[in-house]
Amino acid sequence: MTERALKLPKPLLSGLNEFVPGLLLCVVIAAAASFVSAQYGGPTFLYALLIGISFHFLSDNPKCQPGIEVSAKKLVRVGVALLGVRIAISDVHAIGALGVTALAGAVVLTIGFSLMLAKLLRLPSMLGILSGGATGICGISAAMAISSTLPQNRENEHYTLLTAIGVAAFSTIAMVLYPLVVSVLELSRSEAGLFLGGSIHDVAQVVGAGFMISPEVGDSATLAKMFRVAMLMPVVVVFAFWFRTARHANGNDKAGNQPLVPFFLLVFIGLVIVNSLGWIPPVAVEMSSDISKWCLVISIAALGVKTSFEKLSELGWKPIALLMGNALFIAAYMLVVVYLGRMIF
């Protein structure tokens, strides 16, 4: 009886043990990236990507591969779902009609511009979607969320990693340079907050740039950025419907059986509603935000492990031009919005 009792859990344990080596690898990389970022500054996501790439030789290791795949494809959904605790519907009212219209337009127009520029550069439309979504919404988190709705293949994973690296780099550059733009143009607190929150890619860099100027600008920029983060949900739903329909039209029955709205997005929506009602205590919000960040850092570390510098170098200058063009477009757009606001009001 004792031997039988001991043998029963073995299938379950062996199934879980299959993911442990790769998952632990990605967790250690994420922890190292977080430590370096805390000690020396700089974006945690970018460190996780670069450190992960240095461990590419383990990507084909049969012991590590299952855990790496789970980290890259599953944890990102948990991380994106938990972003909902950081958003409340009441935040929209504080931005104002002009701000809401401008920020929503920034997301839509940047994605459209990215698709057009990708076509001019003869790049895949998938890369245009990922680059435009990441630049227009919330950086790497948006790239990972949008990527989960695209056809899952090596090419799209490669495009996701390239977008993540580029967005992290350009977002860091923007964090340093855009406060100088605010100073040179002598923007007011609200104008500076709208510009920084509407043009910088990642949330952390928006906060950093805003508080470099003043706490008031930091709060205003963060609020504008949170509205862009809220746009992640409708954008991902649109892409989920778009690609599901296309796959179904091509006779892909498996794609046709997939839900129209992914479960992680339903969780995201539910958390936004619950947070808007004030039912989530501040401690739970902070804890969920930390878990979300760790899931995303571990996931991006896994994507780094799956790709090598050699593969990235094969892509050439065009993807860099695409990412740079998107960054300049959204910055110019937000400056136009700021000056139009001066004329109107």
Side-chain angles (χ1 to χ4, degrees):
M1 178 68 68
T2 304
E3 291 182 1
R4 185 179 179 185
L6 291 173
K7 290 180 180 178
L8 281 176
K10 285 186 177 180
L12 177 61
L13 290 176
S14 62
L16 293 176
N17 289 336
E18 180 183 5
F19 301 104
V20 171
L23 182 59
L24 282 179
L25 170 66
C26 298
V27 169
V28 170
I29 292 172
S34 299
F35 174 80
V36 174
S37 177
Q39 293 297 316
Y40 302 103
T44 305
F45 283 134
L46 183 57
Y47 291 142
L49 280 169
L50 297 178
I51 297 173
I53 289 173
S54 69
F55 285 88
H56 173 68
F57 65 93
L58 292 175
S59 61
D60 295 326
N61 186 301
K63 290 185 178 180
C64 295
Q65 194 171 26
I68 293 171
E69 291 293 330
V70 167
S71 299
K73 296 181 179 179
K74 302 297 182 182
L75 286 183
V76 62
R77 301 190 175 199
V78 177
V80 172
L82 291 177
L83 284 176
V85 300
R86 301 172 59 179
I87 301 168
I89 297 174
S90 60
D91 293 341
V92 177
H93 298 288
I95 299 174
L98 176 63
V100 168
T101 304
L103 293 170
V107 173
V108 176
L109 292 176
T110 302
I111 295 175
F113 175 81
S114 183
L115 281 169
M116 181 185 69
L117 186 56
K119 186 175 181 180
L120 290 175
L121 293 172
R122 297 182 180 179
L123 290 172
S125 59
M126 298 296 180
L127 183 57
I129 290 171
L130 286 168
S131 175
T135 303
I137 305 175
C138 55
I140 293 176
S141 301
M144 302 286 279
I146 293 172
S147 176
S148 67
T149 70
L150 303 180
Q152 298 300 301
N153 52 50
R154 288 187 176 273
E155 288 76 14
N156 285 340
E157 289 179 356
H158 198 51
Y159 300 148
T160 302
L161 179 66
L162 176 68
T163 300
I165 292 175
V167 162
F170 283 114
S171 186
T172 302
I173 294 170
M175 180 182 67
V176 175
L177 295 181
Y178 287 7
L180 299 177
V181 174
V182 170
S183 177
V184 170
L185 298 180
E186 298 181 347
L187 302 183
S188 67
R189 180 190 66 81
S190 59
E191 291 172 343
L194 185 61
F195 169 65
L196 296 175
S199 58
I200 299 178
H201 312 11
D202 284 319
V203 175
Q205 276 75 10
V206 169
V207 173
F211 281 92
M212 281 182 191
I213 301 173
S214 71
E216 293 76 19
V217 172
D219 291 340
S220 178
T222 302
L223 183 59
K225 183 61 182 178
M226 284 298 100
F227 179 79
R228 286 171 66 197
V229 174
M231 289 290 291
L232 177 64
M233 182 268 294
V235 168
V236 174
V237 169
V238 168
F239 284 129
F241 178 77
W242 182 3
F243 289 107
R244 177 180 181 274
T245 304
R247 289 193 296 266
H248 185 69
N250 290 330
N252 190 330
D253 294 333
K254 290 183 179 180
N257 291 330
Q258 293 177 355
L260 175 59
V261 181
F263 178 73
F264 76 94
L265 276 182
L266 295 177
V267 175
F268 178 93
I269 297 169
L271 289 175
V272 171
I273 295 173
V274 173
N275 188 43
S276 300
L277 295 173
W279 293 350
I280 304 179
V283 175
V285 171
E286 184 176 356
M287 184 181 300
S288 298
S289 297
D290 290 340
I291 294 173
S292 173
K293 179 183 177 181
W294 274 104
C295 287
L296 292 174
V297 173
I298 294 170
S299 184
I300 201 67
L303 272 182
V305 173
K306 295 177 66 173
T307 304
S308 66
F309 279 119
E310 182 181 358
K311 292 180 179 178
L312 291 175
S313 64
E314 294 172 357
L315 293 173
W317 61 270
K318 290 184 178 180
I320 304 302
L322 174 64
L323 288 160
M324 182 181 294
N326 289 340
L328 293 175
F329 173 83
I330 195 169
Y333 168 83
M334 291 309 302
L335 284 176
V336 170
V337 167
V338 166
Y339 280 99
L340 284 177
R342 282 185 180 181
M343 295 172 60
I344 295 173
F345 299 102

